[in-house]
């Protein structure tokens, strides 16, 4: 069943072609991609398998079910998908230990969106238990709604999470700006018809039609997000 967790209010961005901003979590707002890789490497070491960097490029940004399934198949590890998912989530929580570092520019961007009452959603492939844990560092109050990967039938790279977020905010996907750090997330947002800002965290992402690639969230502000939706410099 899909679950949407609302914030205290629903904000509006009157007078702007930009109707909403939809943000990925891991690697975009918070510096957690390294923690996820540590968790995967550690758990598979306990299972007797060594994960090479070539596997990291496959699993980054993917939903737990896809990443865990791939790693089981690639290594031949003797573990079920539910057991592995549980161990990976548990190990991730142990590694972050209640403190999740924000990416440079993340706090400033969220405060700017809130100050201008821009409807904002967090759209993640991570499970609800992980999102709720990380939100203690990011701040639940910044989001009108949050969507987790285990709450949609088809998560990233399918468009469903972003279509659900746009609908939940009453926005046209074509007038939503999405900020993502992986090819998986970018594919989901583009399939939903959104304009995309890619901030690559581990694997490079090439510019394309409807997609703008930047080095850091420090290069992203509200005028910039409005410009990519309206097509004006």
């Amino acid at each position: 069943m899909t679950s949407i967790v609302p914030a205290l209010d629903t904000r509006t961005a009157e007078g702007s072609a930009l109707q909403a901003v939809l943000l990925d979590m891991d690697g975009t707002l918070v510096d957690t991609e390294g923690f996820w890789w540590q968790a995967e490497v550690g758990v598979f070491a306990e299972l007797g398998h060594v994960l090479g960097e070539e596997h990291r490029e496959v699993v980054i940004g993917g939903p737990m079910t896809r990443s865990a399934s791939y790693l089981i198949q690639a290594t031949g590890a003797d573990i079920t998908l539910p057991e592995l998912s549980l161990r990976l989530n548990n190990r991730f929580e142990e590694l972050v230990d209640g403190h999740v570092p924000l990416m440079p520019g993340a706090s400033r961007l969220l405060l700017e969106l809130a100050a201008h009452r821009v409807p904002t959603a967090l759209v993640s492939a991570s499970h609800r238990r992980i999102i709720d844990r990380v939100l203690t560092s990011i701040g639940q109050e910044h989001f009108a709604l949050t969507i987790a990967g285990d709450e949609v039938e088809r998560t990233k790279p399918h468009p469903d999470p972003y279509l659900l977020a746009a609908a939940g905010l009453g926005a046209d996907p074509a007038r939503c700006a999405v900020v993502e750090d992986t090819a998986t997330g970018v594919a989901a947002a583009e399939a939903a018809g959104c304009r995309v800002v890619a901030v690559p965290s581990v694997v490079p992402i090439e510019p394309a039609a409807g997609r703008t690639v930047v080095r850091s969230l420090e290069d992203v502000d509200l005028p910039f997000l409005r410009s990519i939706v309206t097509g004006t410099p």
Side-chain angles (χ1 to χ4, degrees):
M1 180 179 69
T2 300
S3 172
I4 300 177
V5 179
L8 294 179
D9 61 7
T10 300
R11 295 165 291 203
T12 60
E14 295 180 1
S16 170
L18 173 69
Q19 292 183 344
V21 175
L22 315 178
L23 299 150
D24 174 54
M25 187 178 76
D26 294 296
T28 299
L29 290 178
V30 287
D31 191 8
T32 50
E33 295 293 8
F35 288 114
W36 279 116
W37 182 238
Q38 282 182 256
E40 289 155 352
V41 169
V43 168
F44 274 87
E46 294 168 357
L47 296 171
H49 300 276
V50 176
L51 296 183
E53 283 292 322
E54 68 275 12
H55 297 305
R56 186 179 189 183
E57 294 189 6
V58 177
V59 300
I60 185 171
M64 177 66 72
T65 52
R66 192 197 73 181
S67 298
S69 295
Y70 164 80
L71 291 173
I72 291 173
Q73 182 177 14
T75 62
D78 184 18
I79 189 170
T80 67
L81 178 59
E83 290 171 336
L84 179 57
S85 296
L86 179 62
R87 288 182 65 169
L88 289 174
N89 279 326
N90 288 344
R91 182 61 57 85
F92 175 83
E93 290 190 352
E94 291 171 3
L95 289 169
V96 300
D97 193 26
H99 173 68
V100 182
L102 270 64
M103 298 296 285
S107 180
R108 187 266 313 151
L109 177 60
L110 290 171
L111 289 171
E112 182 180 12
L113 294 175
H116 290 271
R117 301 177 66 81
V118 178
T120 304
L122 183 71
V123 184
S124 177
S126 288
H127 288 185
R128 170 56 56 189
R129 61 177 285 196
I130 299 299
I131 288 181
D132 288 345
R133 184 70 173 269
V134 173
L135 278 173
T136 62
S137 295
I138 304 176
Q140 170 71 57
E141 69 277 6
H142 292 300
F143 306 101
L145 61 86
T146 64
I147 296 175
D150 57 339
E151 296 171 339
V152 290
E153 185 175 344
R154 301 191 311 169
T155 187
K156 303 173 187 179
H158 298 287
D160 306 34
Y162 282 112
L163 291 173
L164 182 62
L169 296 177
D172 176 356
R175 294 176 67 182
C176 292
V178 170
V179 185
E180 274 279 1
D181 73 304
T182 67
T184 298
V186 167
E190 290 180 343
C194 304
R195 296 289 180 172
V196 179
V197 178
V199 191
S201 61
V202 177
V203 180
I205 299 173
E206 295 299 321
R211 178 197 314 168
T212 303
V213 181
V214 298
R215 295 172 299 174
S216 163
L217 285 182
E218 293 181 319
D219 298 327
V220 180
D221 57 15
L222 183 53
F224 175 78
L225 294 173
R226 284 175 172 159
S227 72
I228 69 165
V229 170
T230 60
T232 58

